[in-house]
Amino acid sequence: MERKRSDHIADALESLILDGTFANGERLDEQQLAQRFDVSRTPLREALQRLALSGLVEQIPRRGVFVRQPGPVELMEMFEVMAELEAVCARLAARRISDEALEELHATNERCNAAVKAREADAYFRENERFHAILYQQSGNSFLENECQRLHKRLHPFRRMQLRARGRLRQSMAEHEAIVAALEDGDADRAADALRAHVAVQGEKFHNLLSSLKIDAA
Amino acid sequence: MERKRSDHIADALESLILDGTFANGERLDEQQLAQRFDVSRTPLREALQRLALSGLVEQIPRRGVFVRQPGPVELMEMFEVMAELEAVCARLAARRISDEALEELHATNERCNAAVKAREADAYFRENERFHAILYQQSGNSFLENECQRLHKRLHPFRRMQLRARGRLRQSMAEHEAIVAALEDGDADRAADALRAHVAVQGEKFHNLLSSLKIDAA
DNA sequence: GTCAAGTTTCTTGTATACAAGAATTTCAAT
DNA sequence: ATTGAAATTCTTGTATACAAGAAACTTGAC
C-alpha cells in the first residue's frame, strides 16, 4: 500500500496550515508551493483539492485557494457536533464495550495521569487521543468511528489550545474517570451525558480563552 | 460563481454510480471516461478524486479507482449515524425554531400529503427532502447542517428504495406530523426521539427489504 | 499441459505545454 | 491628480507528453 506524492504534500500542507504557518485569508500560490516541495503543479493541485474537500481551505474557481481557519462561531458549532457524536459513541459503547477495552481505558487513564504529574504535555496528548480513539472504536459502528476521527483530527489544534486553561488538565482527567465508571456500570445515558459534557466544556473553555485574548489585544 | 468542468464531471459520475450504471466492484477507466465526457484525463482525475474523498469510490494507488457501494452493514451504520445527527438537529431546533419555519414545515407536510394521495412519487420526495432540510437549518448550527446534508445526500438512493415498503409512505407522513407537533410544544426530547425513530426505521425497513431480496434471489 | 521468467503492453502518476479568465499596469482624457 | 479603458502579465484550468509500476502475454523448460 504505497502512497503517492500528492498524499505526502497534502499532509505537509495540512500541518503547515494547522500550526499557523499560513495566515488565515492567505492565498496559496500553486507555483511557489510546487517549487517549495520540488514537484510539478499537478500533484500539488491534487493535494490542494483534498484540503478544500476537508474544509481547511476554500477554493474559489479561477481565483485560487485560500486558507480558511474556522472562526469562533464555527468552532463552537464544531465542538457542539463533536460532543454529540462522542455522546452517541458512549451510548453505543456502554452496551457493547469489551472487558479488554475497559482495561485499556483504565491503563490509558493511568498513563495520562502520570503524564499530568510529570508535566509531560506530549505524552498527555498522546494518551488523551488514545482514550477517545478507543471510545470511537468501541461504539461498534465503524462509520461513526471514522466520522469521529475526522472531526477529532480537525479540532486537534484547538483542543490543545483549550487545555492551557488553569486546572483544566486535572478536571479533564476526573471526567475521563467518570466516563469509564459509567461504561463499567453499563449506564448508557450517564456515559453519554458525561462524554457530551466533557467535550462541550472544551468548546466553552476555548471560547473563554478566545474572549480573553481579544480583550488582551484590545 | 462559475464552476469548472471537473465539477460537472464529478456530478455526472456520481449520478451514474448512484443509479447503478456502474456495478459495484467495477473499475473506472480514466481514458474511457475521458473520451465519454470529451475531456482530457486531468479534469477527469480531479472528479474521481472528489468521489474517492466522498466515499463513493475507492482509489487504490497505481491500480485504479473502483466503485464502492456500501454493504448492508455499512448502510445500517450510516442510517444509525444519520438518525442520531437528525435527533440532535431536532433537540436544538426545538428551542430555536422560528414561527415561520414551523409554518413552512406544516406547509411542506401538506404538500407531501397531497403528493401521497396523488401518487406523485417525485413531488413526495422533493417535499420530503425539504422537510428535513428545514430541520437541519433550524438547528441553528450551520456546521451540523452541512454534515447532515452531506450524509443525507449519500443516503438518498437508499432512502428512496426503502419507501417502497408497503404502507411506509403514510406512516412516514404521520411521523412527520408528530415531529412538528413536538417542535411546536418546544419539547426537545420528544422531538429528538421522534426524529431518531423516524430515520432509524428507514434503515430497518431498508434492511428488511434487502433480506427479502436475498431470499428471492436464492 | 503447466508453470515460471522475461518481455510487452497498458494504466496510472507526474511533468510540461497551452488556453482562458482575472488582476494589474499603462496611458490617455478630463 | 483621478478615472477609465486597453493592454499586458499572471494564475488557474485543461491538454498533452513522458515516466514508472502493474497486468497480460510470450516463450521456454519440465
Side-chain angles (χ1 to χ4, degrees), chain A residues 147-193:
Chain A
E147 294 293 301
C148 284
Q149 276 171 347
R150 214 170 45 90
L151 187 49
H152 186 98
K153 194 176 160 197
R154 189 139 168 229
L155 287 174
H156 184 257
F158 307 104
R159 244 178 232 275
R160 187 136 191 166
M161 208 178 281
Q162 153 268 326
L163 274 167
R164 297 210 185 107
R166 188 168 308 282
R168 179 67 193 121
L169 249 72
R170 205 163 294 273
Q171 186 193 344
S172 181
M173 287 308 308
E175 288 164 6
H176 278 205
E177 300 286 3
I179 291 163
V180 179
L183 288 175
E184 272 176 332
D185 294 352
D187 189 334
D189 287 338
R190 210 173 90 226
D193 288 344

Side-chain angles (χ1 to χ4, degrees), chain B residues 11 15 19 26 29 31 34 46 62 71 84 92 116 124 132 136 143 149-150 192 194 197 211:
Chain B
D11 289 347
S15 302
D19 71 13
E26 188 172 345
D29 190 277
Q31 295 193 72
E46 283 193 13
R62 306 235 168 240
E84 296 291 347
L92 297 177
V116 170
Y124 172 84
H132 287 271
Y136 303 159
F143 181 77
Q149 275 170 347
R150 215 169 45 90
S211 307

Side-chain angles (χ1 to χ4, degrees), chain B residues 96-107 130 134 138:
Chain B
R96 306 170 175 170
I97 195 165
S98 66
D99 286 346
E100 292 91 334
L102 272 174
E103 203 42 60
E104 191 145 2
L105 283 178
H106 272 303
R130 177 117 191 84
I134 294 172
Q138 290 298 314

Side-chain angles (χ1 to χ4, degrees), chain B residues 143-154:
Chain B
F143 181 77
L144 176 60
E145 183 186 351
N146 281 333
E147 294 294 301
C148 284
Q149 275 170 347
R150 215 169 45 90
L151 187 48
H152 185 98
K153 194 176 160 197
R154 186 136 170 233

